[in-house]
Amino acid sequence: MVPPKHTERREGTLAPVKMFRTERQANFRKSVRKSVVQTGKQAKDEERRRMEEYRKLCKKEGIQSSRLAEYDQQREQANAQLDENLKQIDHDQTLTGAEKRRRKFSMKQKLASTTVTEMAEKNRKKPSAMVSMEKVQATREAQRAEVQAEREAAMKQKFQRIRARREVQQYHQMISSQECRANRKTGQGRRAPSYGGVPQVVQEGRHSIFSTGRVRPTTRAGECSTR
């Protein structure tokens, strides 16, 4: 029996080789994935070409485009996320070398076949009750933080006033104690009321004895009367 030529199989004159079901499924998934990736790459190349032309036009006209800024930001975020995922795969000790290479290739291929518009659409949250609740919660959190900041500022100002008042009181007490010590050094005491027309000088101590023989309490040693 003469073996068939390769040209005959290529031209379709011979029946295709029969494959098992799993092989057919794997081949189908591979072909579909390849076509999807190829289509995505073409779409991304077309998008990049259009954005570069738009960038040149904006540069020529001197226009600051927010669309270009958002486009660049989305690309940078996607690249940063890819780098982080690749590092996580490298540090994963449960994967073999072949699995790591396969996962890295899949991630890079997915990024290469996904346009920036699709990324932005995927990250953009659709309007729903949950999104509205998140907005309300964020507003309440901002209001609560503002009230807390105002309260902390008021408490700080209150403590500053209390500290300043205490410093003034301590200063006056220090001045009065210095005056008392100066009076004791010069021998000037507090004048007591006169008895029988003769003024008596009150001595500093626990008690003072007057000429009448009575004992009158006075200020303690080291204290100064303010009366």
Side-chain angles (χ1 to χ4, degrees):
M1 181 178 180
V2 181
K5 298 181 180 180
H6 296 285
T7 55
E8 295 177 356
R9 185 179 299 278
R10 192 180 302 115
E11 292 174 358
T13 55
L14 294 178
V17 179
K18 292 184 178 181
M19 295 185 296
F20 294 103
R21 181 178 180 180
T22 55
E23 294 177 347
R24 291 198 303 271
Q25 290 177 350
N27 189 21
F28 175 76
R29 286 195 296 266
K30 185 177 180 180
S31 60
V32 170
R33 190 183 306 112
K34 185 177 180 180
S35 62
V36 170
V37 169
Q38 189 67 22
T39 305
K41 286 183 178 181
Q42 292 177 0
K44 190 167 186 178
D45 293 340
E46 181 66 21
E47 182 188 43
R48 183 173 298 179
R49 185 186 61 79
R50 287 188 285 103
M51 294 304 295
E52 291 301 327
E53 291 179 356
Y54 182 66
R55 190 190 303 275
K56 291 179 181 179
L57 179 62
C58 292
K59 185 177 181 180
K60 182 179 179 181
E61 298 293 336
I63 301 173
Q64 297 292 336
S65 176
S66 59
R67 180 183 175 187
L68 280 175
E70 184 178 358
Y71 175 78
D72 296 336
Q73 183 180 3
Q74 289 288 341
R75 287 185 59 187
E76 291 176 359
Q77 290 179 358
N79 293 330
Q81 186 66 28
L82 177 63
D83 294 339
E84 185 178 356
N85 294 336
L86 294 178
K87 289 181 181 179
Q88 290 179 0
I89 292 175
D90 288 333
H91 294 315
D92 193 353
Q93 301 296 332
T94 60
L95 301 176
T96 61
E99 291 176 347
K100 289 182 180 180
R101 289 192 297 271
R102 192 181 304 113
R103 291 194 179 187
K104 287 181 180 180
F105 177 77
S106 299
M107 287 184 178
K108 292 179 181 179
Q109 193 179 45
K110 183 177 180 180
L111 180 63
S113 60
T114 306
T115 61
V116 178
T117 306
E118 293 175 354
M119 295 179 190
E121 188 67 25
K122 188 181 296 183
N123 296 331
R124 187 180 297 110
K125 293 184 178 180
K126 297 181 180 180
S128 61
M130 185 63 67
V131 175
S132 302
M133 188 180 299
E134 290 178 357
K135 290 182 180 179
V136 172
Q137 187 175 2
T139 305
R140 290 180 179 177
E141 288 291 338
Q143 293 177 356
R144 194 177 297 112
E146 185 178 358
V147 171
Q148 184 67 19
E150 293 178 357
R151 187 177 301 170
E152 291 179 357
M155 292 297 294
K156 185 177 180 180
Q157 188 176 5
K158 178 181 177 181
F159 290 149
Q160 289 178 354
R161 290 198 299 266
I162 292 174
R163 190 181 300 110
R165 192 181 303 118
R166 287 179 180 176
E167 290 177 356
V168 172
Q169 291 177 356
Q170 291 176 0
Y171 175 75
H172 287 300
Q173 290 177 0
M174 182 182 66
I175 294 298
S176 61
S177 62
Q178 290 178 358
E179 291 178 354
C180 291
R181 285 195 295 269
N183 292 335
R184 285 200 302 271
K185 287 181 180 179
T186 56
Q188 296 178 359
R190 181 169 55 87
R191 290 290 178 177
S194 60
Y195 293 93
V198 181
Q200 302 291 332
V201 178
V202 178
Q203 301 294 331
E204 297 291 340
R206 182 66 179 173
H207 298 88
S208 296
I209 301 176
F210 296 89
S211 59
T212 56
R214 292 182 300 173
V215 178
R216 292 176 58 85
T218 60
T219 57
R220 294 183 180 180
E223 296 181 355
C224 183
S225 176
T226 57
R227 292 181 297 176

